[in-house]
Amino acid sequence: LAKTTQPISMDSYEGQEVNITCSHNNIATNDYITWYQQFPSQGPRFIIQGYKTKVTNEVASLFIPADRKSSTLSLPRVSLSDTAVYYCLVAERGSGGYQKVTFGIGTKLQVIP
Amino acid sequence: KAGVTQTPRYLIKTRGQQVTLSCSPISGHRSVSWYQQTPGQGLQFLFEYFSETQRNKGNFPGRFSGRQFSNSRSEMNVSTLELGDSALYLCASSLGAGSGNTIYFGEGSWLTVV
């Protein structure tokens, strides 16, 4: 099982770049890595997904080393509105080849003015 | 494009009752999965449906069940409610069910059992 491990919490000042690393030592060959952001009382919101190397979109970058045993979500110049819980997700293939999703505990990011 | 829609958003039930939650996936998405989120246990996978068939199931008792209709809409049912069932129930959909298919979540249904 591709269990994920993330820091429980992080603090950052506004305007700084934030990097959140997730460990997934048992990731399988076909597994993708996805990051979500969740605000209180809301559903998780998709941020970025990748398989290897680097992926960038308008809100974040995702760095995945060659061994794929970890990944780092990079949020450039965070603002107070980025205060949320961030989940790293590795989707496993369950029975019949379908996805079985296991979430870690998430990283609570607190952005400080 | 509309996102994943869940109804109702909030509900209060009495212990012993049953509840049905509804989920409409993003148009064109055929896979629907359900999750329970509580402060103590975090986000836990309940089950996944694809083409009206349950494909995967998490470690929850048989009181938790679900189904998917031919239009991909899904419902989950919890019977004989217990106080510990109070949680945010999240539905998510994806285009397909294989690895690499991005999962998109709804806003959830808040269930309080009293």
Side-chain angles (χ1 to χ4, degrees):
Chain A
L1 294 177
K3 180 182 174 183
T4 59
T5 304
Q6 306 172 230
I8 293 175
S9 64
M10 294 180 70
D11 291 338
S12 176
Y13 288 101
E14 264 192 302
Q16 289 191 328
E17 177 185 75
V18 170
N19 295 310
I20 306 175
T21 297
C22 176
S23 297
H24 27 79
N25 291 320
N26 296 323
I27 189 169
T29 304
N30 295 326
D31 290 345
Y32 279 71
I33 300 150
T34 312
W35 285 81
Y36 292 87
Q37 175 194 56
Q38 187 178 28
F39 298 111
S41 304
Q42 295 185 23
R45 184 177 73 97
F46 170 81
I47 302 174
I48 197 166
Q49 179 176 273
Y51 181 79
K52 61 180 179 180
T53 62
K54 178 183 174 182
V55 180
T56 299
N57 61 23
E58 62 277 7
V59 298
S61 295
L62 178 59
F63 299 92
I64 304 169
D67 65 7
R68 304 197 333 119
K69 292 181 183 290
S70 67
S71 58
T72 299
L73 173 72
S74 181
L75 303 172
R77 299 179 299 282
V78 294
S79 64
L80 295 177
S81 63
D82 293 318
T83 294
V85 178
Y86 291 82
Y87 291 96
C88 160
L89 176 66
V90 175
E92 312 162 37
R93 283 193 180 276
S95 59
Y98 292 91
Q99 289 196 79
K100 182 174 182 178
V101 175
T102 305
F103 279 90
I105 59 170
T107 298
K108 187 170 184 179
L109 173 65
Q110 180 70 51
V111 180
I112 306 164
Chain B
K1 198 173 190 181
V4 179
T5 305
Q6 292 188 244
T7 56
R9 282 281 283 140
Y10 304 93
L11 68 167
I12 301 174
K13 290 287 187 177
T14 304
R15 197 169 38 179
Q17 286 186 315
Q18 74 165 7
V19 66
T20 298
L21 308 177
S22 182
C23 173
S24 293
I26 293 172
S27 178
H29 284 196
R30 297 175 61 194
S31 173
V32 173
S33 49
W34 290 88
Y35 306 81
Q36 181 196 64
Q37 186 172 30
T38 60
Q41 299 296 321
L43 267 161
Q44 293 186 285
F45 171 79
L46 280 158
F47 29 66
E48 179 197 7
Y49 287 86
F50 183 82
S51 293
E52 302 177 64
T53 303
Q54 187 180 93
R55 303 292 181 171
N56 277 307
K57 191 177 190 302
N59 297 322
F60 279 82
R63 298 186 297 107
F64 292 81
S65 63
R67 59 177 177 170
Q68 186 181 33
F69 302 96
S70 58
N71 60 0
S72 294
R73 194 176 67 83
S74 177
E75 289 181 347
M76 71 161 280
N77 182 276
V78 188
S79 62
T80 320
L81 284 165
E82 301 175 359
L83 296 178
D85 296 331
S86 294
L88 176 65
Y89 289 88
L90 292 160
C91 172
S93 74
S94 61
L95 201 59
S99 181
N101 282 281
T102 304
I103 299 168
Y104 296 93
F105 287 83
E107 291 302 309
S109 293
W110 277 102
L111 170 65
T112 302
V113 182
V114 297

